[in-house]
Amino acid sequence: LLNYTSSVIPRYSLKRLGFALPMRLYPDTKQLEMALTEGKVRAISLAESDFYALSPDRQEQLKILWETPGFSPFAFATHPRVPFYSINKLQRAMVNLNRRGNNAELLQALEARNGFEVARNSDWIDAQDINVQELNMHLPLAEPAQE
């Protein structure tokens, strides 16, 4: 699965730590999970939101071996033509979701259990260092699942 939290960040973190593990990309989380269940792979990398989306009994069957160190979370970006007032109003609304007690369910549905915070471009310096082209070089794709 080629996404930021379940693929790019774990592979980049392991590379920085000097680990070169054999990895394969899967087209979606379901096929990734099936590969683990069927014994085709010994370990998988899942985003935290994907792990918590699993049923509780499925979560209990898996053992978390390692968590990536903190990286910049996902960003909401706007086009340069969006007026500052509109950006500011949206930021305030998103951050205020954290403060209102009855929004936990909404935040969970948005897969933002930790809520939102205002950020600046400089907060993404760690993500700017990641060379995704180099990271993906020589990464094989998994065979599509047979239906």
Side-chain angles (χ1 to χ4, degrees):
L1 199 56
L2 186 56
N3 73 33
Y4 186 73
T5 55
S6 66
S7 177
V8 174
I9 293 302
R11 290 185 294 123
Y12 179 72
S13 297
L14 288 168
K15 182 178 178 184
R16 282 188 5 196
L17 292 169
F19 289 94
L21 300 174
M23 296 192 184
R24 175 165 288 164
L25 294 178
Y26 282 81
D28 59 44
T29 305
K30 185 177 178 181
Q31 288 188 32
L32 181 66
E33 240 191 281
M34 281 178 35
L36 181 65
T37 304
E38 295 169 1
K40 294 179 182 176
V41 296
R42 293 182 181 164
I44 60 175
S45 176
L46 284 175
E48 183 180 30
S49 59
D50 290 332
F51 178 78
Y52 287 111
L54 298 171
S55 65
D57 61 315
R58 185 70 179 118
Q59 289 177 28
E60 288 178 19
Q61 293 172 2
L62 300 175
K63 179 179 180 178
I64 297 174
L65 300 175
W66 178 68
E67 292 183 23
T68 56
F71 265 84
S72 302
F74 286 115
F76 283 88
T78 61
H79 191 278
R81 290 191 305 251
V82 175
F84 174 78
Y85 173 77
S86 298
I87 294 169
N88 190 270
K89 191 172 180 179
L90 179 60
Q91 284 176 331
R92 282 198 322 266
M94 292 172 77
V95 169
N96 282 334
L97 285 174
N98 306 349
R99 298 193 179 113
R100 297 195 181 111
N102 58 349
N103 288 326
E105 198 172 296
L106 176 60
L107 289 169
Q108 187 169 357
L110 294 170
E111 296 185 7
R113 287 192 325 240
N114 295 328
F116 297 99
E117 62 184 64
V118 175
R120 297 171 301 284
N121 286 344
S122 60
D123 293 335
W124 276 268
I125 290 173
D126 59 353
Q128 292 172 3
D129 291 340
I130 300 172
N131 182 336
V132 177
Q133 305 308 89
E134 179 184 317
L135 197 58
N136 290 338
M137 205 177 309
H138 312 299
L139 248 187
L141 288 173
E143 296 297 319
Q146 301 299 319
E147 300 278 334

